[in-house]
Amino acid sequence: MRETKNIIKKYEHFIVVNRLDKCKAKYHSSAYEKALNVMKDKRNMRNKVYNFNQSIYGELEQIHCLEVRVENPRRLNNSKKKIAIIFHNHLSGDEDIDNVYGFDSIESLVILLSKMKIEGYDVEYLPKDGKELIDRLLGYSTNEIELSIDGKKFLIPGFINGNIFIGIQYSKDFGDELLEEYYSSDKLCNDKCSQGMFKADVVIHVGSHDTSELLLEKSGLCSGYYPNIVLEIIPRSHYYAIKNQGDEIKFREKSHISMIECMVPPLNFVGSYDDIEEVYNLLRMYYDAKLKGVKNLYLYKKMLWEEVCKLNIQDDIEYSKEHAFKHFDKFSEILSSYLNEIKFSYIKEGFHVLGRSLYGEDLVNMILVTMSSRNDSIPSLHEVICEVFGYDYEFMLNNKGMIVEGTSKTCGDLLGEVSTVAKKIIIHFYDFNFKTKYIDGVIQKYLGSTNDKMATTLRYIAEELVPKFHRAKDEIHNLMKLLNGQFIPSVKSKNVFIDDVDTLSMDRDFYTLNSRIILSSLAWEKGKKLGDELLKDYISNNGRYPKSIALVLCLDPTMRNREEDIAEILYLMGLRPVWNKKNCEVVDLEFISMEELGRPRIDVIVKISGSFRDTFQGIIDLLYKAFEKVSELEENENYIYQHVKEDIAKEIKLGYREEDAKDNALLRIFGPKAGTYGTGIDKAIDIKRWNNGDDLSKIYLNSQGYAYGRGKNGKFEKEQFIEKLRRVDVTVQNIISREIDILDSSDYYQYHGGLACAVKTISGKQPKMYYGDSSNPIDIKVKNIARELKYIYRIRVLNSNWIKSMKKHGYKSAGYIYNTINNSFGWDATSYIMENWMYEELAEKYVFSEDIKEWFEENNPTALYNIVEKLLEAYRRKMWEPKEGTLQKLLMYISKI
C-alpha cells in the first residue's frame, strides 16, 4: 500500500483536471495520459477530491509498471529487443488476414522487417515480397508454436523470426452460440503468447482492430477489466489508416497504445471506361444530331436505349422504355447527369504501403482530387478555372446533365474540359518539380494570363500539400522511434478532403475532436441540407411527409462529419442549436417556428453503435433533451407530440404509472448492450446461421434493443424498440467521404440494412432506405440505397480500370474484392437490393474471366473459392436467378477444386 501511495504522489499534478492539463497530456507518455483519465473518471465533482478505492490503486500500479516497461526499449540494444507483430483477422479463413481500409499491411510488413534488420534487430528471415510473407504466415500458422493456458494447449497462428514474433489475431467470428462473447480463453492465445511465452518488449498491431478493442468490460479498472487481464502492461503500437478515428478512440479507452497514422490510399477520378464510354458516345451522337436539326431521331434514340438496357442502366435511373421515349429529352438529361456523376467521382486506386510516398501519376491524381474542392481560404483548381472561363462552378456541379444553350454540350462536358485543363496545369507544374518561380508561366500557358487565385492555389500545392504527401516516408521512421520508446508528436485527425488538408501529416500519433464541441455552424447548414433533400425525395415518390425516420449514428462518421447527423436529427424535429459564442459549444435548443419550417415536425428514432455510446454521452443527453422538448409542444403537425401522446395512453392501459408510461413513450435512442459492439448480423451471415430476413431481424432486435437516455443507460427495452420501429417510414445513414463506401465494411449493412430488415419484419412494409452524401459540400445529395449500391458497382466493382489498379497488390486486393462481394451479399440478405444482372456481372468479371481467375489462383485462391461459394449461396437462397449456363460454369469450377 505504501508503494501505491508513492505512485499516486507521482501523478498528483493531474488532480486539477482542466483544459490545460488535457493539452499537457498530449505531450506526455501514454502512461501519464492514462493516469489523467483514471484520475478524471474517479473525481468527486462536488468537492474535487478523489476517493481512491482499490481499483484505482491497482490501475495506477499498472500505469507505473507500464512507464517502467516503456523505459525498457530505450535501454535495450535493438538486437536484444523482442517485438511481437499481430495481424488483424476479420474473417475465420485464409482469404483476408489483413482486412484494413486502404492499407496493404502485408507489403508494409516486408518493408518494416527490412528496416528493422538495418537498424540492428534480430531478424533471421527477410521475405522478398508480400506473397512470400503471407504464404509462410499461412503455411506455418498451425504447427510451429504451442501455448498452454489454464491447462489447455493451443496452437498459435504465427512464427518466430529471430526476436520477432509474427502472428495472426484470432477471428472475432462467433462459434456455436451466436451471441456468445467475442473472446474466451481460446481466442486470446496470441496476446498470451506475446506477453507470456515470447515475453515481448513491444507489440505492434497491424490492421483495423486489436484484441482490446472489442473485449467486454467489467466494472472496475483492474482485476475485472478484461483488456488489463489479457494485455497487461506491454507497450503497444499500431500503424493505422487515417480514416479510422472511431476505432482509435476505442483503442485509447481500453489499452495503453501509441499509433502511427498512415496516408490514405491513392485516389483518382473514375473517368470513362469500357461500355460506359460507349453509352456516353451514343448520347453525344444524339445531342449532335438534334443540334443539326435531324428530323428523324428515332434511330439515335433506339441505339442509345439498347445500349443503356444492355448495361441495365435504366434500372439505376429508374426509367422504363415507355417513360423514356415519352419524355426523351428529360431521360437523356437524367442519363447524362448520372454518367457525369460516375465520371467525376473519385475512388481508391490500390492501397497505401507503409513509408511509400506518392510520385508521378499517383501524385498528380491525388492533388487533383484533393484540390477539386475548396480548402478553407484556398480556392479549388476547378473553381478558379471555371471563373476564368466564365462558368458557374456550383451551378454546373448541380446540373451536370443540362444542355448548354446553343450547343450539344452538357454542363458535365464543360466540367470535363475544366478537369482536362486542371490536369495539364498540375502535370506541367510537376515537371517543374513544383518550383514556385514557374507558377506564373504555367498559369499563362493554360489560362492565357496571370491569375492571383490560381497562383495562390498552386503556391499552396507547392509549399504545403506536396510536402505533406511526401512525408509518408516518415511513417516508418516514426514507427522505429516508437520501438525505441521515443516521443512521437500528435496531430489532430480529421476528414482530410473536407476542409482539413492541413491534417495530412500522416506520420504522427493522433487525437480527435473535443466531444463537448457539438455541432459546428457549418455542420448545421449541411445537416439542414441533408434533411431537406431526404424529405424532398420522399415526398416526390410518396406524396406526403414521412411521420417517422430511423437514423443510424456510428462513432467514426460522426467524428469526421462534425455532427452533421445530429444537425439533421434536430432539423427534422424542427429545432435549432443555440451556441455559446465564446467556445462554440451548444448550450441550448430552440424551436423553429412552423411558419419558418413550412412542414411537420418529424419523429426520429436514433440507432447508435456501441462505440458511439461509449464516446458521445453528451450527444445522447442533448438528443433526449430534444425529444422531450418537442414532445411537449402541442401542434397539429407535430408527429413526435402525437406519437408520445398515443404511446402514453397505451402504456397506462397496460397498467404503467403515468410517469413510467411517459418515460417509455419518450424512448427514442437504442443500441447494443453496454460493453458490447456490433449487431451479430454480419457474423450470422458469415457462418450461415440464418434462414430468412425474420431470423436476421430477430438477431438485430435482441442485440440492439437497449435504451439510452433518461437514466436508462442500456436497459433492455426490446418491446419499446419494436413499437417505435413499427411507425418508421424511412431509414437513413450518412457518409462524408467517397474514400469509404457501403461495400467497404460489413458495418454498413449490419447497422443500416439490419435496421431496415427489422422494420420490414415488424411493420410488414419495406421502409424507404436513404444514403446521405455530403462528400462535396456544394453538391450534397441523398440517394435511395439501392441506387447507391448500383452506383458503387459502376464506379469501382465493375470498373476495369479499378480492377487493374487492384491487381498491383496481389493477396491484399484479392481479399478486398471478396469482402466487397461478401458485403454485397449482406446488403441483399438484409435489404433485398441486389439484382440478377449484378450477380451475373460478378461471375463474369471475377470468375469466368481467365485473366482475373489466373491472378486469383496465383495470389489468393481461397478468396476466389469463397467468391464462387458466395454466388452459389445466393442461388441456393433464391436471391439470384442465374442465366442459363452460369450456374453450370460455377458448379464446374467448384468441382475441380
Side-chain angles (χ1 to χ4, degrees):
M1 188 64 72
R2 182 179 302 169
E3 182 183 353
T4 302
K5 288 181 179 178
N6 290 335
I7 294 170
I8 291 171
K9 276 190 172 184
K10 185 174 182 178
Y11 300 103
E12 278 180 345
H13 62 287
F14 281 119
I15 289 179
V16 180
V17 179
N18 54 35
R19 292 185 183 178
L20 179 60
D21 288 334
K22 291 178 182 179
C23 293
K24 287 179 180 177
K26 292 172 189 173
Y27 300 98
H28 284 294
S29 70
S30 59
Y32 277 89
E33 186 174 355
K34 190 71 175 180
L36 169 62
N37 291 333
V38 173
M39 295 290 195
K40 182 181 68 174
D41 290 344
K42 296 299 177 180
R43 179 174 57 183
N44 182 318
M45 295 301 293
R46 186 174 181 181
N47 55 19
K48 297 187 179 180
V49 175
Y50 293 91
N51 297 317
F52 294 104
N53 56 31
Q54 190 60 44
S55 67
I56 285 293
Y57 288 134
E59 177 71 359
L60 289 177
E61 282 182 311
Q62 279 211 329
I63 293 166
H64 177 65
C65 292
L66 174 66
E67 192 173 24
V68 172
R69 289 292 297 269
V70 169
E71 293 291 332
N72 286 343
R74 298 175 190 168
R75 293 194 298 263
L76 287 173
N77 185 279
N78 285 348
S79 64
K80 302 296 183 182
K81 292 176 188 174
K82 290 191 173 185
I83 312 295
I85 301 172
I86 310 296
F87 278 101
H88 166 59
N89 183 18
H90 173 64
L91 301 173
S92 57
D94 293 345
E95 70 280 358
D96 193 24
I97 296 302
D98 72 330
N99 175 41
V100 55
Y101 158 77
F103 189 68
D104 190 340
S105 48
I106 300 292
E107 289 293 340
S108 295
L109 182 54
V110 173
I111 293 172
L112 178 60
L113 289 173
S114 297
K115 179 65 173 177
M116 293 174 74
K117 181 77 171 179
I118 294 170
E119 294 289 328
Y121 287 83
D122 183 3
V123 182
E124 295 178 352
Y125 158 71
L126 285 178
K128 64 180 181 181
D129 55 28
K131 185 178 186 305
E132 182 177 312
L133 174 62
I134 196 66
D135 287 345
R136 176 160 183 178
L137 186 60
L138 295 177
Y140 281 79
S141 63
T142 59
N143 57 13
E144 189 163 300
I145 308 170
E146 191 178 83
L147 178 68
S148 179
I149 302 176
D150 299 330
K152 299 178 182 178
K153 291 186 176 181
F154 301 96
L155 294 175
I156 302 301
F159 65 93
I160 293 175
N161 181 11
N163 275 342
I164 313 296
F165 169 68
I166 303 173
I168 302 170
Q169 175 187 329
Y170 269 83
S171 168
K172 300 183 185 69
D173 281 357
F174 290 97
D176 293 335
E177 295 299 322
L178 189 59
L179 296 179
E180 70 180 353
E181 294 179 0
Y182 276 144
Y183 290 93
S184 55
S185 62
D186 64 315
K187 302 275 183 166
L188 301 173
C189 296
N190 256 328
D191 295 275
K192 293 288 187 182
C193 177
S194 299
Q195 69 186 18
M197 183 185 72
F198 185 67
K199 300 187 184 304
D201 296 298
V202 179
V203 176
I204 300 175
H205 292 281
V206 183
S208 292
H209 306 280
D210 78 347
T211 305
S212 67
E213 181 186 341
L214 298 180
L215 285 175
L216 298 177
E217 296 184 44
K218 285 185 176 180
S219 60
L221 297 171
C222 233
S223 60
Y225 187 56
Y226 288 131
N228 286 351
I229 295 171
V230 176
L231 309 173
E232 292 191 357
I233 54 174
I234 305 176
R236 306 162 75 76
S237 180
H238 198 133
Y239 53 87
Y240 212 66
I242 185 177
K243 282 292 160 189
N244 292 285
Q245 300 169 14
D247 291 337
E248 175 225 354
I249 288 293
K250 286 184 279 185
F251 291 151
R252 296 205 188 279
E253 285 177 348
K254 297 188 176 184
S255 182
H256 313 289
I257 196 162
S258 297
M259 298 192 182
I260 294 293
E261 188 171 45
C262 295
M263 181 66 72
V264 294
L267 302 173
N268 192 11
F269 291 106
V270 174
S272 294
Y273 66 91
D274 300 346
D275 296 333
I276 293 292
E277 181 67 19
E278 183 63 25
V279 176
Y280 200 81
N281 289 335
L282 289 170
L283 185 60
R284 289 294 303 275
M285 287 172 60
Y286 167 73
Y287 283 142
D288 287 340
K290 186 179 178 183
L291 181 67
K292 292 174 182 177
V294 175
K295 293 183 178 180
N296 188 358
L297 295 171
Y298 178 76
L299 180 61
Y300 294 96
K301 294 178 181 180
K302 181 174 179 292
M303 291 170 59
L304 178 58
W305 177 256
E306 287 175 351
E307 190 65 27
V308 164
C309 291
K310 177 183 173 183
L311 301 182
N312 298 285
I313 295 176
Q314 79 281 5
D315 291 335
D316 297 24
I317 58 177
E318 299 175 348
Y319 261 89
S320 65
K321 182 176 181 179
E322 181 182 0
H323 187 200
F325 277 77
K326 186 176 181 179
H327 305 283
F328 204 83
D329 284 346
K330 184 63 177 177
F331 161 73
S332 60
E333 181 178 335
I334 296 296
L335 175 62
S336 176
S337 179
Y338 184 58
L339 295 177
N340 278 293
E341 187 178 354
I342 291 172
K343 183 177 180 179
F344 295 114
S345 291
Y346 62 86
I347 54 173
K348 301 180 288 290
E349 284 199 332
F351 301 92
H352 176 62
V353 177
L354 186 70
R356 186 172 294 174
S357 297
L358 295 174
Y359 292 96
E361 188 176 2
D362 285 342
L363 178 58
V364 168
N365 291 333
M366 194 69 138
I367 292 171
L368 289 168
V369 170
T370 306
M371 297 307 299
S372 63
S373 58
R374 173 179 286 271
N375 179 50
D376 197 13
S377 61
I378 308 299
S380 77
L381 282 167
H382 302 72
E383 181 183 354
V384 175
I385 296 170
C386 280
E387 185 177 300
V388 171
F389 289 177
Y391 303 154
D392 185 328
Y393 183 49
E394 185 171 347
F395 177 83
M396 293 202 302
L397 276 178
N398 293 315
N399 298 275
K400 299 183 187 77
M402 182 181 292
I403 288 287
V404 178
E405 187 176 356
T407 74
S408 61
K409 294 181 178 180
T410 64
C411 289
D413 293 329
L414 297 185
L415 281 175
E417 294 173 2
V418 168
S419 297
T420 299
V421 173
K423 188 163 189 174
K424 288 180 178 179
I425 289 173
I426 297 303
I427 290 174
H428 199 170
F429 200 24
Y430 176 88
D431 291 340
F432 287 127
N433 201 25
F434 299 107
K435 295 291 179 62
T436 55
K437 66 181 180 180
Y438 296 109
I439 286 178
D440 287 342
V442 171
I443 295 173
Q444 288 177 12
K445 179 173 183 178
Y446 295 103
L447 299 185
S449 62
T450 58
N451 182 283
D452 290 341
K453 288 185 178 180
M454 180 58 76
T456 298
T457 300
L458 293 183
R459 188 168 290 106
Y460 176 79
I461 290 171
E463 297 176 349
E464 298 289 338
L465 190 59
V466 171
K468 289 179 186 295
F469 283 135
H470 284 165
R471 282 190 63 172
K473 65 181 181 296
D474 291 335
E475 293 166 353
I476 197 164
H477 171 70
N478 280 342
L479 182 55
M480 300 306 295
K481 287 178 68 176
L482 282 179
L483 296 183
N484 290 328
Q486 294 175 275
F487 169 72
I488 300 297
S490 296
V491 63
K492 190 168 186 178
S493 181
K494 293 183 179 181
N495 186 2
V496 173
F497 298 101
I498 304 295
D499 306 322
D500 289 316
V501 174
D502 287 340
T503 65
L504 268 170
S505 299
M506 301 309 176
D507 55 314
R508 313 290 184 88
D509 200 345
F510 58 110
Y511 59 95
T512 53
L513 54 73
N514 179 350
S515 62
R516 294 176 61 191
I517 300 179
I518 302 170
L519 257 177
S520 67
S521 57
L522 176 61
W524 169 246
E525 293 301 323
K526 292 164 76 174
K528 286 170 59 179
K529 179 68 172 176
L530 286 167
D532 284 337
E533 290 296 311
L534 187 154
L535 295 176
K536 177 182 175 182
D537 189 90
Y538 185 88
I539 293 170
S540 68
N541 289 293
N542 298 275
R544 65 174 180 86
Y545 284 98
K547 292 191 173 183
S548 181
I549 293 173
L551 190 145
V552 177
L553 286 181
C554 293
L555 174 60
D556 195 59
T558 303
M559 298 181 77
R560 287 189 283 115
N561 68 23
R562 297 303 178 257
E563 297 84 37
E564 292 168 18
D565 296 334
I566 313 304
E568 182 178 6
I569 292 169
L570 296 177
Y571 178 65
L572 288 170
M573 293 191 290
L575 291 172
R576 67 162 59 92
V578 178
W579 288 278
N580 181 330
K581 294 181 180 179
K582 292 182 179 180
N583 58 19
C584 299
E585 293 178 11
V586 175
V587 294
D588 201 359
L589 299 169
E590 64 182 19
F591 289 112
I592 302 173
S593 69
M594 292 301 290
E595 290 75 20
E596 181 183 350
L597 197 61
R599 59 164 174 80
R601 300 186 192 276
I602 311 298
D603 198 356
V604 183
I605 309 302
V606 180
K607 222 304 292 171
I608 60 174
S609 68
S611 49
F612 184 97
R613 168 207 62 215
D614 294 345
T615 307
F616 284 121
Q617 184 60 50
I619 293 180
I620 293 173
D621 293 341
L622 178 77
L623 290 177
Y624 191 86
K625 177 181 178 181
F627 295 133
E628 193 169 32
K629 189 180 184 76
V630 180
S631 72
E632 295 171 352
L633 183 64
E634 185 174 355
E635 292 173 325
N636 291 333
E637 290 192 311
N638 183 347
Y639 296 146
I640 298 177
Y641 170 80
Q642 294 173 11
H643 293 162
V644 169
K645 185 177 179 181
E646 291 170 9
D647 289 346
I648 289 175
K650 288 179 184 177
E651 295 286 302
I652 290 175
K653 282 186 179 181
L654 292 173
Y656 286 92
R657 293 183 302 114
E658 184 174 350
E659 183 179 350
D660 293 335
K662 183 178 180 181
D663 285 348
N664 289 337
L666 277 171
L667 294 177
R668 291 291 186 281
I669 305 172
F670 296 89
K673 183 180 179 180
T676 65
Y677 305 88
T679 68
I681 284 181
D682 56 334
K683 305 302 183 290
I685 289 175
D686 283 346
I687 64 175
K688 302 180 176 62
R689 286 285 299 274
W690 66 288
N691 294 315
N692 50 44
D694 290 347
D695 292 338
L696 298 177
S697 174
K698 182 179 179 180
I699 293 168
Y700 189 87
L701 293 170
N702 285 334
S703 65
Q704 305 301 297
Y706 294 83
Y708 292 88
R710 201 172 177 86
K712 292 291 184 179
N713 296 325
K715 183 181 178 182
F716 191 52
E717 295 282 4
K718 176 183 171 182
E719 294 306 316
Q720 293 296 330
F721 191 32
I722 289 172
E723 290 306 309
K724 300 302 185 291
L725 293 184
R726 196 180 303 279
R727 294 191 182 104
V728 166
D729 299 310
V730 170
T731 62
V732 62
Q733 185 172 14
N734 299 324
I735 62 102
I736 191 175
S737 172
R738 277 289 162 193
E739 296 149 70
I740 300 177
D741 59 48
I742 62 173
L743 294 182
D744 273 319
S745 169
S746 61
D747 284 353
Y748 290 101
Y749 80 73
Q750 69 162 315
Y751 284 120
H752 190 187
L755 176 62
C757 185
V759 170
K760 184 177 187 297
T761 298
I762 294 165
S763 67
K765 62 180 182 181
Q766 179 72 19
K768 301 297 181 183
M769 301 176 66
Y770 287 100
Y771 181 79
D773 178 4
S774 59
S775 58
N776 188 335
I778 62 174
D779 189 22
I780 292 174
K781 299 181 286 289
V782 174
K783 299 180 185 178
N784 176 285
I785 199 73
R787 180 170 177 173
E788 174 64 17
L789 184 65
K790 295 184 182 76
Y791 174 70
I792 293 169
Y793 265 59
R794 303 294 182 192
I795 64 173
R796 72 172 178 91
V797 181
L798 306 180
N799 180 344
S800 57
N801 294 331
W802 179 80
I803 296 172
K804 182 179 178 180
S805 72
M806 288 292 106
K807 289 173 68 177
K808 294 183 291 186
H809 291 268
Y811 172 88
K812 166 68 183 183
S813 291
Y816 178 65
I817 290 169
Y818 165 66
N819 265 319
T820 295
I821 294 171
N822 191 42
N823 292 334
S824 299
F825 180 91
W827 273 110
D828 204 20
T830 57
S831 311
Y832 323 104
I833 56 176
M834 285 282 287
E835 297 187 13
N836 283 333
W837 70 264
M838 299 168 80
Y839 283 112
E840 290 287 341
E841 288 288 347
L842 290 176
E844 288 292 336
K845 290 280 186 183
Y846 295 108
V847 182
F848 302 153
S849 166
E850 287 299 323
D851 178 54
I852 297 297
K853 187 166 70 172
E854 289 176 7
W855 173 77
F856 266 111
E857 290 174 344
E858 179 183 353
N859 292 281
N860 194 339
T862 306
L864 178 59
Y865 176 86
N866 286 342
I867 289 172
V868 175
E869 205 284 327
K870 191 59 66 176
L871 293 173
L872 291 174
E873 184 182 355
Y875 163 73
R876 290 193 297 269
R877 292 182 181 276
K878 299 183 179 179
M879 297 160 64
W880 171 39
E881 295 180 11
K883 290 181 179 179
E884 185 177 352
T886 299
L887 180 62
Q888 289 73 16
K889 290 166 74 174
L890 291 174
L891 291 171
M892 186 178 298
Y893 174 82
I894 288 288
S895 67
K896 290 180 180 179
I897 299 177

